[in-house]
Amino acid sequence: MILEYLYATPVASIIFAITIATSIYVFSNPQMYGTMMLHPYSIHRDKTKLYTIFTSGIIHADWGHLLFNMFTFYFFGFALEHFFVLASGSIGHLYFALLYIVSLVLSDIPTIVQQKNNVGYHSLGASGAISAILFSYILFQPKAMLGIFMVIPMPAYVFAVLYIVYCIWASKNSNDRINHDAHLFGALAGVLMTILLYPWIIRHFVEQF
C-alpha cells in the first residue's frame, strides 16, 4: 500500500510546496541560513554538514531568487513529471524524484571540491536541480519554444547551447555571486540522469530534427 501511494504521488507538487514554504520560513528566520546553506569548508572538515547539500536546495536568498526558480520549476517540472509517467507509468513519479534529488547532489559536488578551503563561501537555492529539470525537458521537447526573459523566443535546443556556453563563461569570468557551476553541472546531471532512465531518449531527441 505504501509503495502504491508513493507511485501515485505528484512529486513536483511536493517539491514545489516544500521549497516555497521553507524559503518563506527562512525569510522570517534568517538565523536558519547559517544552518541550512551549503558551506563547502564545513563539509570538508565536518561530514555532519553533508545534510546541507539537501537543505540548501530548499531555501533561497530573497523573493526574486525564489520566484524565478519556482516560475521555471512550475512550467517545466510538472510537465516533465507528466512525461515520465507517460513513459513509465506510476513509477515515473519516483523517477522524477530520483532525477531531482540526484541532480541536486551532483550539481553541488564541483562547488564543494573547488571551494573546500574557502571559509567565506556559501551557496543556496534550487537552481542546480531546476537546471536538471529544464534540460531533461529539452531532451523530450527539443523544439519547444522558450521565451527567454519572457521576450526573446527561441527553440529549446538553441537555448540549451547558449545556456551551457554562458555558464562556462560566467563560471570563469563573472563576479555576480551566482553559483554558475551549479547551473552547469545541474544541467549536465539532468541530461545524464534522463539518458540513464530512458536510453531511447537520445534517438527520440535526434528524430525531432
Side-chain angles (χ1 to χ4, degrees), residues 71-89:
F71 180 83
T72 305
F73 183 87
Y74 178 80
F75 280 101
F76 299 103
F78 287 90
L80 181 65
E81 184 174 11
H82 179 65
F83 293 158
F84 278 22
V85 172
L86 287 178
S88 303

Side-chain angles (χ1 to χ4, degrees), residues 38 53 102 104-115 185:
L38 183 74
I53 295 174
V102 172
L104 179 64
V105 173
L106 292 179
S107 70
D108 280 338
I109 288 177
T111 298
I112 293 170
V113 172
Q114 293 170 13
Q115 303 294 338
F185 287 97

